[in-house]
Amino acid sequence: MAATGRTAPAVLACGETRTCLLPSFQALDGRAAAQLLRLRADEQVSVSERPNLYALSPEVLTGVDCRLPTANGAKVRAVGTVASRAALTEGRVLQAGAWFSVPAAGPDTRRPWGHYLVRPGLVEPFGKLPVQATAQGVLRGSARGELDLGMIAEGLLAQLLRHPLLDHKAPFKSRRTHLRWVARRAPEGEGASLERFTLAEDGLRTVELRLPEETPVAAAVGLCEDLALHDWLLTTLVHMLDNSRLGAVDGPSAVLALHPAVDHLLHLWMPQAHVERTLGRLWDVLEREPGFTRQWQTLVQRIRDQLAVQAIPLLHEALSTR
């Protein structure tokens, strides 16, 4: 969580990631994904094909001069830049996120913009930062006049969804999710830890992390994007199974409703595929409680069992006609 230049190291990093199904009937290949995510002419989109097709946009900056969200009502003005970027997984799942880091204290007067521009993704408070109150304020959500990461992430997502590559014919219906996260500095000598993961209403998830001072903010961003991606996959599959009404409608109708899951989702489950190795073990917390992969595998098995049950009569019919 180190900062650039002579600014004191960051004690808090905050972010928000929006995740949705790309509104395109066909999944985008690597070349099209790079076209979609080219947010800057001076930097290329990063595209990797192993272990899955993953495209990551360059970062863009938004200058801010406003109050930080605080849970106790403290009025903390901050100036700097918020970083944002987008990612596309297997040409199907689109994410847009925004984040910033902040030191324990900043100057009492505003500095020229050049000072802030050479410190991308860093905002400096006027005076001392109330770390706990700011972290809780970000997780709660911004009030009017406060720095709103969700609005910046949503603006980037809206920009991408207007791209002419997209035909807006999604292969199935799904809901967006948004994940808010904060990462505070871990006590000296302690490693990274995932303190809390919560599910709230309206697709909101919150994550609280503790990270050593030397951990780059980019590592926290990547971890939270990965959590948001797999939470969206799990949430979407649960809704598809609920809407299929397994056991309440005839088998063929249920199988038809589940076909999109087989065609577009089941192969996307790859936790930690794009997470820095130093933070990969934090996934172990979610594997124990609430058990992300265990729940995913259970849902996938239900789908496969249903497909197998429906295939048996067709097999018997084929054999009887020989």
Side-chain angles (χ1 to χ4, degrees):
M1 298 173 67
T4 58
R6 295 181 180 179
T7 304
V11 295
L12 178 68
C14 309
E16 182 160 338
T17 297
R18 303 289 172 104
T19 306
C20 69
L21 179 70
L22 189 73
S24 172
F25 187 75
Q26 297 291 338
L28 300 189
D29 60 19
R31 180 177 297 182
Q35 286 183 258
L36 175 71
L37 299 186
R38 195 173 185 192
L39 302 180
R40 294 172 52 172
D42 61 333
E43 286 194 36
Q44 296 296 314
V45 175
S46 172
V47 179
S48 59
E49 297 183 352
R50 302 289 184 274
N52 57 10
L53 180 59
Y54 180 74
L56 185 65
S57 79
E59 294 179 8
V60 293
L61 300 179
T62 301
V64 296
D65 182 349
C66 56
R67 289 186 288 112
L68 295 177
T70 56
N72 60 4
K75 291 180 170 53
V76 181
R77 180 185 171 191
V79 184
T81 59
V82 172
S84 56
R85 72 183 186 187
L88 185 65
T89 301
E90 284 291 348
R92 267 293 166 220
V93 185
L94 180 64
Q95 296 181 281
W99 69 91
F100 67 88
S101 59
V102 57
D108 294 327
T109 58
R110 195 180 186 283
R111 297 177 178 179
W113 267 115
H115 168 84
Y116 303 107
L117 291 176
V118 298
R119 294 162 173 81
L122 183 78
V123 300
E124 294 181 358
F126 282 32
K128 187 177 180 181
L129 176 75
V131 178
Q132 176 66 16
T134 303
Q136 294 306 311
V138 169
L139 294 177
R140 177 204 62 193
S142 302
R144 187 172 183 177
E146 295 177 341
L147 177 52
D148 191 339
L149 291 173
M151 182 179 295
I152 296 173
E154 188 64 31
L156 176 56
L157 188 63
Q159 173 188 336
L160 294 169
L161 294 179
R162 291 193 296 269
H163 200 285
L165 275 173
L166 307 180
D167 59 20
H168 295 276
K169 298 178 181 179
F172 59 91
K173 293 182 179 180
S174 63
R175 305 175 187 177
R176 294 185 188 180
T177 59
H178 49 289
L179 182 145
R180 291 181 190 146
W181 60 269
V182 297
R184 285 177 285 175
R185 184 186 295 174
E188 189 174 353
E190 292 189 13
S193 62
L194 195 158
E195 303 286 302
R196 185 174 290 108
F197 174 84
T198 62
L199 302 179
E201 296 179 353
D202 300 323
L204 173 64
R205 285 84 172 97
T206 62
V207 174
E208 297 180 55
L209 304 169
R210 289 275 190 178
L211 299 178
E213 180 180 330
E214 65 273 13
T215 302
V217 175
V221 174
L223 170 68
C224 292
E225 286 173 341
D226 197 54
L227 295 180
L229 169 66
H230 289 84
D231 171 76
W232 181 88
L233 289 171
L234 192 54
T235 301
T236 301
L237 196 59
V238 167
H239 287 158
M240 292 180 77
L241 276 164
D242 289 344
N243 293 335
S244 73
R245 301 177 62 199
L246 279 177
V249 297
D250 64 290
S253 296
V255 169
L256 187 63
L258 293 174
H259 267 173
V262 177
D263 293 339
H264 305 290
L265 296 183
L266 298 193
H267 62 292
L268 299 186
W269 191 262
M270 292 187 186
Q272 306 180 51
H274 304 283
V275 175
E276 282 202 20
R277 188 174 301 175
T278 56
L279 298 184
R281 67 180 186 82
L282 297 188
W283 254 101
D284 296 342
V285 178
L286 295 174
E287 298 297 19
R288 292 193 302 268
E289 180 91 20
F292 265 40
T293 296
R294 184 169 62 251
Q295 184 179 6
W296 176 265
Q297 290 173 342
T298 299
L299 296 173
V300 170
Q301 192 59 52
R302 285 186 63 194
I303 292 173
R304 288 174 175 166
D305 289 346
Q306 185 66 27
L307 294 176
V309 167
Q310 296 305 314
I312 291 174
L314 296 177
L315 179 60
H316 286 168
E317 182 179 348
L319 293 174
S320 64
T321 57
R322 288 186 176 181

